[in-house]
Amino acid sequence: MQNEFPGFIAIEGPIGVGKTTLGRRLAHTFGYATIFEDAEANPFLGRFYERPGENALATQLFFLFQRSQQMQSLSGTGGAGNQADLFQLGHVADYILQKDRIFAGINLSPDELDLYNKVYESMTIDAPRPDLVIYLQAPADVLLGRIARRGNSYEKSIAARYLESLNDAYTEFFHNYQEAPLLIVNAADINLASSEQDYQSLVDKIATCTSGRHYFNPLPATEDTLQ
């Protein structure tokens, strides 16, 4: 099965949708290395949620440098960034580098965004292309519930309106996305954290996504799968 599975999987979607949870399960199943962003290492993030206007640029630049450094390190796997060697090892990430610009477009003022774009464009980032991007979708009310359950103190002030704007931005971004095979997953009514049936159904679907655009919209989970 591992020979048929994508060698480098990137998982995307708004805050609270389950990117890291799914990434951990896939890494455990297939023995893949993980590349997860470290939100808690960002000293500006909590202040951003409390006072967005004062801390958005610093928050965004920190994430840009963190993510670009991770991707540069990943592209150096196997000597001079050999893509085939990378895929042979197997990696799963809980973001794609382009997400940084998605968040920047929402959170920064026009002047800040102009400065951010100049910094972004001045950087040489040799990010490897994923074999598959998994885009997890869920409405804002579902995201708010999941954020509350995981209990991160710096996320307490996240508003539904902000999550709705993220959902809109992600929808727009992936509407014409063609840089890698794409699997769009309706994650609202499934439990990829603890339902073996939901998780295995998604794994089976992933194995078929070798090119183009695909959709995974399973039947709503039963009460048993949500326990």
Side-chain angles (χ1 to χ4, degrees):
M1 179 69 176
Q2 187 164 356
N3 292 334
E4 302 172 6
F5 217 66
F8 178 26
I9 301 170
I11 306 168
E12 261 301 350
I15 301 166
V17 77
K19 300 181 294 294
T20 306
T21 297
L22 175 59
R24 288 195 182 104
R25 290 204 73 176
L26 292 174
H28 177 75
T29 298
F30 294 97
Y32 282 9
T34 58
I35 310 101
F36 294 159
E37 64 181 5
D38 186 2
E40 294 184 0
N42 190 330
F44 307 102
L45 185 58
R47 284 175 269 174
F48 163 73
Y49 286 134
E50 293 175 359
R51 297 183 299 277
E54 299 175 21
N55 299 283
L57 181 59
T59 302
Q60 206 59 56
L61 289 175
F62 185 96
F63 274 130
L64 173 61
F65 291 128
Q66 182 191 78
R67 293 164 182 155
S68 64
Q69 287 172 355
Q70 287 180 316
M71 287 293 106
Q72 291 283 46
S73 175
L74 179 60
S75 67
T77 302
N82 186 294
Q83 188 98 342
D85 289 344
L86 168 66
F87 292 166
Q88 185 177 5
L89 292 171
H91 287 74
V92 58
D94 63 356
Y95 67 93
I96 56 176
L97 192 59
Q98 294 95 322
K99 85 171 295 177
D100 213 79
R101 279 186 147 169
I102 295 174
F103 278 76
I106 293 173
N107 295 322
L108 302 183
S109 69
D111 288 342
E112 289 174 333
L113 184 59
D114 181 62
L115 175 59
Y116 169 88
N117 284 331
K118 289 177 180 177
V119 173
Y120 189 101
E121 291 163 6
S122 70
M123 300 173 67
T124 302
I125 306 172
D126 184 22
R129 184 180 66 85
D131 269 344
L132 177 67
V133 174
I134 301 173
Y135 168 34
L136 303 178
Q137 295 179 317
D141 60 331
V142 172
L143 299 176
L144 279 173
R146 293 177 182 177
I147 290 169
R149 284 194 294 273
R150 69 188 185 188
N152 292 332
S153 59
Y154 57 86
E155 295 178 330
K156 288 182 179 179
S157 57
I158 294 178
R161 181 178 299 179
Y162 180 62
L163 296 174
E164 289 166 357
S165 68
L166 277 179
N167 275 339
D168 291 343
Y170 268 108
T171 298
E172 181 179 357
F173 174 80
F174 280 112
H175 179 70
N176 294 312
Y177 182 81
Q178 295 181 348
E179 294 186 22
L182 177 65
L183 174 59
I184 300 174
V185 177
N186 179 358
D189 295 316
I190 57 176
N191 188 339
L192 297 174
S194 58
S195 169
E196 191 60 36
Q197 179 180 349
D198 290 345
Y199 173 68
Q200 190 57 54
S201 295
L202 179 59
V203 169
D204 292 342
K205 181 67 176 180
I206 290 171
T208 70
C209 299
T210 57
S211 63
R213 179 178 299 248
H214 305 262
Y215 298 88
F216 183 69
N217 190 25
L219 294 173
T222 64
E223 289 187 9
D224 289 340
T225 66
L226 293 174
Q227 298 301 314

